Amino acid sequence: MPSKKPVEISQLFGQAGQSQQIHQLKSQIEKLEAEITQLRVNAFSSEEKAALEQQIEQLTNQLATQGGVHEIAISLIDPDPAQPRQTFPPLIIQERAESLRRQGQQNPIVLIPQLDGRYKLFDGELRWRAAPLAEMTKLKAVFLPKEEIPDEAVVFEGQLVTSIHSQKLHDLDLATALIRLIIFKYPNFIGREDEIPKFLNAFINRLVRSQKIQDLALIKDADLITQQEWLETSDFKEQEEYEIVSVLLGLQLNPVSINNNIFPLLKVAEDLKVIIRSEGLESSKIRELNKLSAEQLKIDESQATAIRTQITQRVVQEKLSLSQTKTLVKQTLEQYNASNNKAKHEKQIDKTIKDIESINLKSLEPTRLSKLHQVLQKTLHEIETLM
């Protein structure tokens, strides 16, 4: 099977053997990574969550030990526009700001010093966004030396792992980030981004047909050696399938869940993606609201967008539950389908009237005239009764 292997996250500090201090840092981070991979994505108990938060903090603590904690002006810090997490709802920022006001900054953010004297965020954008609301002008920070990071792809992978395990990315952010990470690791996908979900779906469907789909749930949590052995012996029809699945398993993500719940969000309406970015609306509600499409409503796209926007705003403003959202979407579809059916029926009536008006009565035989007379007379009587 394919010999090409994706970049391991441990390579994030692959050049860190230049000094004893940096070597110790590399060992600490590799140990942290090994511990994190034992936890389950999206399946945390309270004990696991507490343990995970403690493990994530080890990176920050080790950097603080090696380089100290600094106070950096917020005005000198720039967000990383390429980082995986793009959804920062105002409510979440307000909540973090209130936490900073009451409890102060408990943990330093992680920054990458830049040559122009500024700093780029590696971890801690939510705290950075919330700090001005808490009337803070500086943040405690530790530095991740830029020279120790091989390239942009490895930085991005490190951010993605941290976000998955500690910040719970929105599903749309996760979908977008996974596509980008796959392209980073396998540049043959450049310009073919839309094909990635299709390749994964084809592989998943083949496993379903061969009744081997349960293998993925088990192999997801296996060690790297076991995962690689499974990848080498699995029935991949295309090299691209192998590459995609290897990346997902490397992050301990279940390809079935990504196929069914995550990648489909890439195709939701653009106005709904805007709502996700601004409000952080849950994926389950977004999938329901996406049913209000021009095709389902049987109207043009501009009308569908207006209706979908109106219903979405109601879901957000009234804080409707998933069950209430489903009911509202169903009622909206029924309303417009009933209206469309009525309009269609009225068009049929109009056509029938025109057809009757266009009949050349003189050309009809007496028997047909008599039959037509009977039908029209009966219909006229029903009309008079209704009127």
Side-chain angles (χ1 to χ4, degrees):
M1 201 48 227
S3 58
K4 184 165 52 173
K5 295 177 64 176
V7 178
E8 297 295 339
I9 187 61
S10 58
Q11 293 179 13
L12 177 60
F13 294 89
Q15 299 177 3
Q18 299 174 2
S19 71
Q20 182 62 30
Q21 277 191 334
I22 295 178
H23 177 72
Q24 292 172 356
L25 174 59
K26 177 177 180 292
S27 299
Q28 180 70 17
I29 291 171
E30 288 178 344
K31 179 182 177 182
L32 169 63
E33 177 193 338
E35 292 172 346
I36 288 176
T37 57
Q38 295 176 15
L39 295 173
R40 306 295 184 261
V41 177
N42 299 333
F44 299 135
S45 66
S46 57
E47 293 81 6
E48 286 175 328
K49 183 176 180 180
L52 176 59
E53 290 173 351
Q54 182 179 8
Q55 290 168 5
I56 293 293
E57 287 177 7
Q58 288 183 20
L59 170 60
T60 303
N61 293 338
Q62 186 67 17
L63 289 171
T65 300
Q66 299 296 341
V69 177
H70 307 263
E71 285 200 350
I72 303 298
I74 295 172
S75 60
L76 293 177
I77 301 172
D78 299 313
D80 182 357
Q83 77 130 322
R85 191 178 188 187
Q86 298 294 320
T87 301
F88 295 92
L91 179 61
I92 300 299
I93 296 175
Q94 289 283 358
E95 289 176 350
R96 181 54 62 93
E98 184 61 27
S99 174
L100 289 173
R101 275 192 291 266
R102 295 187 183 193
Q103 302 170 6
Q105 183 186 356
Q106 298 298 309
N107 298 303
I109 60 175
V110 182
L111 301 176
I112 302 175
Q114 304 296 294
L115 295 178
D116 60 1
R118 299 186 65 81
Y119 302 88
K120 184 168 70 174
L121 272 163
F122 176 81
D123 180 63
E125 183 166 345
L126 182 56
R127 280 165 284 173
W128 174 76
R129 287 173 178 262
L133 299 180
E135 300 180 349
M136 298 172 63
T137 59
K138 296 182 178 180
L139 281 172
K140 298 174 185 176
V142 294
F143 297 156
L144 192 64
K146 187 176 178 63
E147 61 270 13
E148 295 173 21
I149 302 173
D151 56 38
E152 181 185 4
V154 179
V155 171
F156 183 77
E157 186 171 9
Q159 291 172 324
L160 178 55
V161 170
T162 301
S163 295
I164 287 175
H165 289 281
S166 66
Q167 297 177 347
K168 186 63 175 69
L169 287 175
H170 191 283
D171 289 343
L172 178 60
D173 285 349
L174 178 57
T176 304
L178 288 174
I179 295 295
R180 187 161 181 244
L181 181 61
I182 290 168
I183 293 173
F184 266 142
K185 288 173 173 287
Y186 300 105
N188 54 291
F189 281 111
I190 294 176
R192 304 167 60 204
E193 294 86 349
D194 292 345
E195 295 181 31
I196 293 175
K198 295 177 183 177
F199 277 117
L200 178 61
N201 188 60
F203 177 66
I204 297 297
N205 288 337
R206 196 157 58 252
L207 285 185
V208 170
R209 289 193 298 270
S210 62
Q211 299 183 343
K212 295 181 179 179
I213 195 65
Q214 295 302 323
D215 290 357
L216 285 175
L218 299 174
I219 205 66
K220 172 181 84 74
D221 299 318
D223 59 78
L224 292 175
I225 295 176
T226 303
Q227 282 188 354
Q228 190 61 39
E229 289 175 349
W230 183 86
L231 286 166
E232 298 296 339
T233 57
S234 293
D235 181 24
F236 293 104
K237 285 193 174 180
E238 305 288 346
Q239 170 74 17
E240 289 87 346
E241 295 175 356
Y242 167 86
E243 294 167 347
I244 295 166
V245 174
S246 68
V247 172
L248 298 181
L249 291 180
L251 293 170
Q252 278 197 295
L253 297 173
N254 189 333
V256 176
S257 177
I258 299 301
N259 182 67
N260 295 343
N261 303 317
I262 305 302
F263 279 167
L265 285 174
L266 295 169
K267 290 192 174 183
V268 301
E270 289 301 318
D271 52 289
L272 291 179
K273 291 181 180 179
V274 172
I275 289 294
I276 290 175
R277 302 297 188 208
S278 63
E279 302 293 340
L281 197 61
E282 301 96 315
S283 303
S284 55
K285 295 178 184 177
I286 290 293
R287 282 190 285 269
E288 288 299 315
L289 292 166
N290 198 53
K291 294 177 182 178
L292 299 174
S293 63
E295 182 180 1
Q296 294 263 35
L297 293 167
K298 296 179 175 61
I299 54 180
D300 63 51
E301 189 58 48
S302 61
Q303 290 177 303
T305 300
I307 292 167
R308 194 166 52 242
T309 300
Q310 180 184 8
I311 298 299
T312 300
Q313 288 300 326
R314 182 177 169 186
V315 170
V316 172
Q317 292 169 4
E318 298 180 16
K319 295 181 173 59
L320 299 185
S321 66
L322 175 58
S323 176
Q324 291 170 321
T325 302
K326 286 182 177 181
T327 299
L328 182 57
V329 169
K330 182 180 178 182
Q331 290 174 344
T332 304
L333 288 171
E334 290 175 347
Q335 174 188 341
Y336 276 87
N337 285 332
S339 176
N340 289 330
N341 289 337
K342 181 180 179 182
K344 182 179 179 181
H345 181 64
E346 288 175 348
K347 287 182 180 180
Q348 291 176 337
I349 295 298
D350 291 340
K351 182 177 183 302
T352 301
I353 292 173
K354 288 182 179 180
D355 288 342
I356 293 174
E357 289 176 339
S358 65
I359 295 175
N360 184 359
L361 299 176
K362 293 180 180 180
S363 67
L364 297 180
E365 298 177 355
T367 54
R368 292 189 178 279
L369 276 173
S370 176
K371 180 65 175 177
L372 179 60
H373 180 264
Q374 291 175 6
V375 171
L376 291 177
Q377 196 171 37
K378 179 181 178 182
T379 303
L380 182 60
H381 176 70
E382 292 177 358
I383 291 173
E384 290 173 344
T385 301
L386 292 172
M387 293 179 65

